[in-house]
Amino acid sequence: MRHTCLFFHAHPDDEALLTAGTMAGLARRGHRVVLVLATAGERGLTSTALRDSGLAGVRRAEAHASARILGCARVAFLGYADSGHVGTPAAPAPGGAQPFATADVGEAAGRLAALLTEEHADLLTVYDPAGGYGHPDHVQVHRVGYRAAQLAGTPVVLEATVDRTLLLRGLRAASWVHRFPPQFDRDSFRQAYGARADITHRIPVKRYWRAKRASLAAHLSQAQGGDSERTLAALGRLPGPAFRQVLGTEWYIQRGLPAGPVLRDPLATLAGTAPTAARR
């Protein structure tokens, strides 16, 4: 059975980091994959030259390029302004667009629900309640996504996240070979993303590593800028075997599922789809 899966993200490049392998896998299995972005990510860190040339347009083009690589059938933007990074004030965009983090949840959910209804979506992805690492736009994706799913009657909502246990182990290991900038607080990740006990879906995506890597590379504007090396640039330089190991799994939480085996198929709980389980 063909399903429609709508992946809701805050900014261009979020899909590449968190859900690209799942998206590519679903598209190659013949399902309709739709990417919806709350903002154009116009306040992302980048080079001065790119910012002066109009970052919103650049990042929209990058999102479309990433979506083509992943096999998406459609890309849509909700039209909100990027709220900026954690700790920065959310100010109206030059064109008057409302920052997503301060938008009315009901109004934003209505926009998303209209897309869910139009697409007859069977599955929606959002973020965990903490918004991963706490970005205000990511937290708002969680709120707006759940409200929209209620309005549209979308049967399955998955929270895209990262296994916090593995993340902390990886950061600890990386600190032995990489000098993090002084402002980087590794301990702040102790409450970030998802607790292992909450994760319900562990999706193996190693076979789609080339698509995921190309999706990351499509967001060239986010590989430069800022005071330290960007995550996308560091990940992009990993050799193939290391890339598959580090980014070969994607994690999701489906609220309301009983405790038990972790599922390996994002569609496993939809009617007519046999669950595929993996050991925790």
Side-chain angles (χ1 to χ4, degrees):
M1 181 181 294
R2 182 175 179 266
H3 295 287
T4 296
C5 307
L6 194 150
F7 288 77
F8 183 35
H9 286 281
H11 319 98
D13 84 1
D14 291 330
E15 86 290 346
L17 288 163
L18 286 171
T19 65
T22 306
M23 296 167 77
L26 288 169
R28 292 185 188 184
R29 288 163 55 187
H31 300 291
R32 180 173 173 84
V33 176
V34 177
L35 172 62
V36 177
L37 296 155
T39 80
E42 67 275 10
R43 293 185 69 184
L45 294 174
T46 193
S47 66
T48 302
L50 280 174
R51 186 171 298 284
D52 290 346
S53 67
L55 186 58
V58 171
R59 298 200 70 184
R60 285 193 189 96
E62 291 173 346
H64 281 280
S66 169
R68 285 193 296 272
I69 290 164
L70 300 177
C72 295
R74 180 182 182 184
V75 180
F77 290 84
L78 290 191
Y80 290 98
D82 184 348
S83 304
H85 298 276
V86 178
T88 61
Q98 175 76 25
F100 184 55
T102 59
D104 179 78
V105 171
E107 194 275 338
R111 295 189 193 185
L112 181 59
L115 290 169
L116 290 167
T117 301
E118 179 185 345
E119 289 287 346
H120 303 286
D122 303 293
L123 179 148
L124 170 69
T125 71
V126 296
Y127 301 140
D128 55 66
Y133 60 94
H135 191 295
D137 283 339
H138 289 226
V139 175
Q140 186 78 319
V141 162
H142 176 86
R143 300 189 192 109
V144 168
Y146 269 103
R147 179 77 65 85
Q150 291 175 341
L151 293 172
T154 304
V156 174
V157 180
L158 299 181
E159 300 174 10
T161 190
V162 175
D163 183 330
R164 186 189 302 151
T165 299
L166 290 179
L167 175 63
L168 292 172
R169 287 178 186 170
L171 290 173
R172 187 162 53 248
S175 67
W176 289 94
V177 296
H178 176 74
R179 179 175 294 180
F180 289 105
Q183 66 272 24
F184 181 82
D185 181 10
R186 196 174 71 193
D187 289 337
S188 67
F189 286 88
R190 294 188 181 280
Q191 300 301 320
Y193 294 101
R196 175 168 292 185
D198 293 334
I199 290 172
T200 58
H201 295 66
R202 184 190 300 129
I203 312 301
V205 298
K206 286 183 180 179
R207 70 176 64 181
Y208 307 114
W209 75 275
R210 288 183 175 86
K212 180 155 184 163
R213 188 171 200 165
S215 172
L216 286 166
H219 296 283
L220 183 62
S221 69
Q222 298 306 290
Q224 52 190 303
D227 298 327
S228 60
E229 183 179 50
R230 305 302 306 281
T231 301
L232 264 68
L235 293 174
R237 286 203 310 275
L238 289 174
F243 189 95
R244 290 194 297 273
Q245 182 63 32
V246 173
L247 296 171
T249 303
E250 291 173 352
W251 298 270
Y252 300 88
I253 298 168
Q254 184 175 351
R255 302 292 170 181
L257 280 189
V262 179
L263 302 175
R264 295 170 60 90
D265 183 346
L267 302 174
T269 55
L270 281 168
T273 305
T276 305
R279 294 180 180 177
R280 287 187 182 268

